[in-house]
Each structure stands twice: as structure tokens, then as C-alpha cells.
Amino acid sequence: MNKPHLKLRAYLVLSALAIILSAINLYLAKTWDVFGSPALFAMAILLQLILALTFIHSLVVILWKPLQIVGSILVSAWDGIQKNSYIRTILRSKSPVVSWLRRRFDIASPTGPGLTVAIAIALAWLMGFAGITRQVLLKEVLTRIDTRVINLVPSTRPSAQTSFFSIITFLANWQTMIVLTALFGWVLWRCGQKYLAALLPAVFVAEELIATLLKHLVGRTRPENYLSLIHESSASFPSGHALRATLLYGLLAYFLYKSLQSTLARLVIAATYLTVVFLVGLSRIYLGVHYPSDVLASVLFGGFLLTIIIACLELSARYQLWGQRTAIVPARKLLFVPLAIAVFSIILAPIFIRPTVSLATPGYRMLAALNEQTTSQLPLYSETLTGAHMEPIGFIYVGYEDQIKQRYEQAGWTKADPSTLFNTLRAVAVGFQGGQYLSAPVTPSYLLAKPQDLAFEKPTASNTLRQRHHTRIWRTDFALPDGRPIWVATASFDEGIEFAGPARLPTHHIDPNVDAERSYIAGSLGAQDSEFLQVVAPELGQNASGDRFFTDGRAVVVRL
């Protein structure tokens, strides 16, 4: 078998593999509401982007020859159609619409199909950006998700990842971008591309001015300082780092792509570019200085600007608008730039990026007493990621955090681990194997947009992760006159593993009688004789994974 056929077969296999893996990964990408791990969700999204890129690239390689044949047939057919007297009359029309359409399909013109396609792609990016901007300005559902995600991030930060994300975020710091622009421009200048070398600083300056203008127009405040590892003083929307990475690294990837002949090398360059942009955006969320929508909007707007610039470069080269075609810059010279930038970031990131943890200083409002009238001031319902109500509170604790921890530990309960990537994957693996993980993470639930402060669990006689008692506890901003803070909690019993939701994802199935779990925990803590308060009316409801529950609406008051 000759080499072209071997290459075609290899890309057929790669395309089929990309489809299969994409289907599996799409299933994993729907795990947010079930497992609640931001890192797992982010990894699934990045993998989905790379798999989609691989599939599209393979498909183009496979269909390139058939597409050329179809294109040739269409051109010949169009030539024949134009000879028809009716078509010729229409084409000669002086109508503005016909004239506009004629220019759009004139292959010999720089304002023909190439420009039309570029404008369509750019408008798609811009519409996506406008949609997110509208949600931010009107504080719609996306901003509610933003708040919950950024509140969850500190509890899912493994300290080992902070140095990595500091280096990643420094890849798009203004200092690094100046070095990138200088090195990139120098290589282009040495290769005789002087107008391109001059274009890069202009693009960088224009991007900074546009980002600054958008920040002032939208005026979105940054996340709270106690959620951040670094300090930023400018407005939050859009993310300047994500915008710089999308635009400037996009131009570098474009020139590298043009300089390489190997289809595999081109695929690697495109996948690397996607990964860098994704990680830079993720680093801004991880470090707590941007909301997810800030990053997503920046990538979309960066895609819009990048499409316009690349379209201008391609049309200029193809139609020699500036008197000459754009030369291909040798790959060996261009590859020096990203390598130098990587070394620069690794060396200097620890100097310029110094993450520090800021502790929240909770302020309390006084609640004169705990009774059925005053409890209406407390937050009464746990929430999903989008803010929909779930279970009402079943416990009200009066005391300090150490007292709560001590009471549960003495009763044989284990504090749950945070929902990091490793902990979540471990819990999934142990659950499928039927083993035990006493401190397995629980799916984050929210109360007033904040995830639980504490979670405890206890095994059953079966001693497997598939069954467990568990509770989630939140600190409120209320305290009694003696200074003791007030906490609220929900509780439910995981009675087994189920495949829940439209995606049929594996998760725990809860016993619908949440009041039975309330009684079990009260007895376990030695608080079975505590007072009960009616906090909500008796009701039926469902949790984030769709499990039904019922409750009499009462809460146990535990004074520690």
C-alpha cells in the first residue's frame, strides 16, 4: 500500500477515535451538578476542545481531494449557469442587492467569498461576546453561576497547583507580552517582514486600549479579596490576560501553522494554542481574580479580533494588496519565541506573582433569640449551581466551628475532603469498586451563593462508599447576643448509587425521607431532646440530581 493510502487510513482511524472519545468525554463534561469538581469539569472541557479540533482536522485531510473535486464541479456548473440568458440578465442588473451578492461570490475579488466567510466567523465570535456582556450587565443566570463557582474555588485549591497556575498566568502578564511582542517582531523583521513586525506592537497597544475601555464601560467589580490569591485593582470584565493570550498567542500560532508542512505538526500547534489559552483563562479563575464569564467573554472577543487580523493578512497575501505576497517565516526561527517565553515565565513568575491567602473576617448581625419568628431572617434553603431551591435546612447550630467539629468527631463522624480533581476521581473509582473512602468529598451545595463551610459523613453497616449518612453545614452572618455564631445545615442519607439526570450520570441516590436522617444525626450527636422550630411549611421537592424528598419543614436547634 502506498504512502497516501496509509496516510488516509491513519486519519480515518484518528477521526473515528476522536468521535468515540468525544462522545465519552461529553458524558464526563456533564458532571458539574453531580460531582461539583471545577477541575474535573475544566479538564473535560479542554479535552473536548482538543478532540473536536482533531476530528475537524482529520476530516479536512480525508475529504480534501473530494472537496476539490466538488469545488471544481460547482465552479464549472456556475460557469454554465451564467450563460443562461435569464441568469445573465439578473447578473447585469443594477440592483444594489444583486451587486452586493455579485461581489460576495466573486472569487477573483478580495471582497469575495474569503472576506464573506471571515466576516461571518467574526460576527459569530462578536455575538457570543455580546450575549455574555448582556448577561453580566443585567445580572442574569450566568452571573449567579459565576458567583457560586468563584465562592467554591478556594475550597478546591490544592496548594501544589498554585505555583503551576502562577507560571501559567504570568504567560499573559503585560511584562511577558512585551517580551513576546519584541521577540516575535524581531524574528519577523529579520525575515524581511517589516510591516508585520510593526503590526505586532500596534495590535498589542490596540488590545490594551480596547480592554481598558471595556473595563470602564462595564465596571464589574472583582471577586472579594478573601477569595483571591493575588491582588488586582482594575475592573473584572473582561479578563485582559485571557484576551492577550487569545490574540497574541493566536497570531504566533497562525505564523507557526503557516510555516509548517506536516499536518501532524500543524495539529500539535493548534492543540497547544488551545491548551495555553484555556489554562491562562483557568488560572485567572483559580487565582480568584476573575469570574468564569469574564474569561469566556475575553476569549470570544479575542477570537473576533484574531479572525479580523488573520483575514486581513490572508486576503493581503492572496490578492497582493500591498504589492507582494507574505513570505513564510521559517519554523525553526519562530519556534525560538515560545521556548524563550516559557523559560522567561518559569524564571520570573515567582518574582512577579506572589500568591497570598487572605482570611475572611465575618461580621455578624445580632439575632435577639431563636424562635419561629426570628428564624425567617436566616437562609432557609440550599441551592443548586444556578440558584434553584433544594432541601430546606434541617438543623440550626449555635456555637463555634471548633465546637461543631469536636461534637461530630466525638460521635464518630468524619469531615469530608474538598472537591479537588484527585479527591473526586478517587471517590468515583472507589464507588464503582464498592470500596470505602471515609472522607470522600460531597457534591457542593450552596446557600446564599456560598458552598458549605463544613461537611461530615458516617458509614453504614455495609461499610462502602455507596451508602453513607452525610450533612452539609453553612456559617450564617447571624449571632446571638452572647456572641455565639449561628450555623444552618441540611442532611440526607445516601442509600445507593444511581444513574441520574438526562445524561444518566453515576451519583448517590438519597432516601426521600430527609427527616429520618435529621432524627438519626440528632440522636448521634446526643441532641434528640433538642427543641424543634418550624422554619418552612411541609413540602415535597427535589435536589440537583433530580432525587425527590419530603419534609415536615422543621429544624433541630443544637446549642453547643
Side-chain angles (χ1 to χ4, degrees):
M1 186 177 292
N2 57 28
K3 287 186 177 180
H5 284 88
L6 281 173
K7 180 179 178 181
L8 184 62
R9 176 173 290 184
Y11 275 101
L12 281 169
V13 172
L14 185 61
S15 179
L17 185 62
I19 292 175
I20 294 170
L21 291 175
S22 291
I24 296 171
N25 191 70
L26 188 61
Y27 177 77
L28 292 175
K30 295 179 179 291
T31 60
W32 177 262
D33 268 348
V34 175
F35 299 125
S37 169
L40 181 60
F41 179 75
M43 295 249 326
I45 294 299
L46 174 59
L47 184 57
Q48 195 69 24
L49 289 172
I50 293 175
L51 288 170
L53 174 67
T54 303
F55 173 72
I56 293 170
H57 188 275
S58 301
L59 197 62
V60 170
V61 172
I62 293 166
L63 297 179
W64 186 248
K65 183 60 71 175
L67 287 172
Q68 285 181 315
I69 295 172
V70 171
S72 176
I73 292 172
L74 290 175
V75 169
S76 299
W78 177 243
D79 289 339
I81 290 171
Q82 291 183 90
K83 295 177 181 178
N84 183 279
S85 59
Y86 294 103
I87 299 298
R88 290 171 68 181
T89 302
I90 293 172
L91 292 176
R92 289 172 182 168
S93 169
K94 300 298 183 180
S95 166
V97 175
V98 174
S99 299
W100 185 84
L101 289 173
R102 189 163 54 236
R103 291 194 298 271
R104 297 291 73 76
F105 290 96
D106 184 1
I107 297 175
S109 170
T111 60
L115 180 61
T116 303
V117 171
I119 291 174
I121 294 172
L123 285 176
W125 290 114
L126 189 59
M127 288 174 65
F129 170 75
I132 294 176
T133 305
R134 178 183 177 276
Q135 290 248 350
V136 170
L137 289 172
L138 298 180
K139 296 180 170 53
E140 295 184 348
V141 65
L142 187 57
T143 60
R144 297 200 292 270
I145 295 174
D146 275 343
T147 303
R148 287 164 177 79
V149 171
I150 204 68
N151 284 336
L152 176 64
V153 165
S155 64
T156 61
R157 278 186 193 130
S159 57
Q161 290 180 4
T162 301
S163 297
F164 170 75
F165 279 115
S166 296
I167 294 172
I168 292 296
T169 209
F170 193 71
L171 284 173
N173 257 37
W174 64 267
Q175 299 95 332
T176 310
M177 290 293 102
I178 290 175
V179 174
L180 170 67
T181 304
L183 288 176
F184 195 4
W186 176 74
V187 171
L188 292 173
W189 186 277
R190 290 291 300 270
C191 293
Q193 300 299 307
K194 295 183 179 181
Y195 74 95
L196 289 178
L199 174 67
L200 288 173
V203 169
F204 178 45
V205 172
E207 171 271 321
E208 290 296 300
L209 291 174
I210 292 171
T212 302
L213 177 62
L214 288 171
K215 284 177 180 290
H216 283 294
L217 288 175
V218 177
R220 190 182 198 184
T221 56
R222 297 268 182 176
E224 296 288 344
N225 286 336
Y226 70 87
L227 299 171
S228 307
L229 292 179
I230 59 178
H231 177 68
E232 297 280 3
S233 58
S234 62
S236 185
F237 184 96
S239 165
H241 283 67
L243 183 56
R244 292 175 200 141
T246 305
L247 184 55
L248 295 175
Y249 284 120
L251 284 174
L252 178 59
Y254 164 72
F255 281 101
L256 277 169
Y257 188 92
K258 296 277 288 185
S259 68
L260 296 166
Q261 299 301 316
S262 166
T263 53
L264 180 59
R266 287 180 165 187
L267 181 60
V268 170
I269 289 298
T272 302
Y273 167 63
L274 281 179
T275 302
V276 169
V277 172
F278 188 89
L279 289 177
V280 167
L282 187 61
S283 72
R284 306 306 288 168
I285 301 170
Y286 176 90
L287 294 171
V289 290
H290 279 294
Y291 297 100
S293 62
D294 298 339
V295 171
L296 180 56
S298 300
V299 171
L300 292 171
F301 192 71
F304 163 70
L305 296 176
L306 184 63
T307 301
I308 291 175
I309 295 171
I310 290 177
C312 291
L313 292 174
E314 285 292 319
L315 292 171
S316 171
R318 185 172 302 173
Y319 297 99
Q320 302 183 42
L321 300 180
W322 294 350
Q324 61 179 359
R325 288 184 177 275
T326 305
I328 301 298
V329 181
R332 65 181 181 276
K333 294 184 178 180
L334 275 179
L335 284 171
F336 160 75
V337 177
L339 292 175
I341 290 300
V343 173
F344 177 81
S345 297
I346 291 171
I347 294 173
L348 294 184
I351 298 174
F352 288 94
I353 308 292
R354 296 183 176 181
T356 54
V357 178
S358 301
L359 298 178
T361 53
Y364 293 110
R365 292 181 287 167
M366 289 302 151
L367 205 64
L370 270 178
N371 52 53
E372 293 185 356
Q373 286 71 44
T374 58
T375 52
S376 62
Q377 300 178 52
L378 300 175
L380 301 177
Y381 284 92
S382 60
E383 306 158 348
T384 65
L385 185 64
T386 59
H389 279 182
M390 294 196 298
E391 302 101 314
I393 61 172
F395 290 87
I396 300 173
Y397 297 97
V398 180
Y400 298 96
E401 182 173 342
D402 289 343
Q403 292 176 311
I404 295 175
K405 290 179 178 178
Q406 184 180 15
R407 189 73 167 264
Y408 269 95
E409 289 168 2
Q410 288 175 347
W413 292 73
T414 304
K415 186 174 179 290
D417 290 337
S419 298
T420 62
L421 176 63
F422 175 78
N423 292 341
T424 303
L425 291 176
R426 178 186 172 190
V428 172
V430 170
F432 273 118
Q433 294 168 6
Q436 181 57 281
Y437 177 7
L438 290 174
S439 58
V442 300
T443 305
S445 289
Y446 302 87
L447 189 130
L448 294 183
K450 295 182 179 180
Q452 66 270 2
D453 295 284
L454 299 169
F456 294 93
E457 54 196 303
K458 191 174 186 179
T460 65
S462 65
N463 198 31
T464 71
L465 183 56
R466 296 180 179 181
Q467 271 193 358
R468 63 180 176 180
H469 302 276
H470 71 297
T471 182
R472 298 175 178 87
I473 306 173
W474 292 265
R475 185 201 313 269
T476 72
D477 58 355
F478 287 94
L480 291 182
D482 61 7
R484 289 184 298 165
I486 297 173
W487 305 65
V488 296
T490 61
S492 59
F493 174 62
D494 290 336
E495 58 183 10
I497 299 292
E498 66 174 352
F499 289 85
R504 312 309 298 167
L505 294 166
T507 184
H508 282 103
H509 173 72
I510 68 167
D511 181 350
N513 186 2
V514 294
D515 293 345
E517 184 70 357
R518 182 187 65 199
S519 299
Y520 173 83
I521 294 175
S524 173
L525 298 178
Q528 58 266 40
D529 296 328
S530 296
E531 61 181 303
F532 282 81
L533 295 177
Q534 192 75 40
V535 293
V536 298
E539 65 177 79
L540 300 171
Q542 65 180 37
N543 63 12
S545 59
D547 286 347
R548 297 285 180 178
F549 66 83
F550 60 88
T551 175
D552 60 15
R554 296 191 300 164
V556 178
V557 178
V558 181
R559 300 178 187 271
L560 300 169

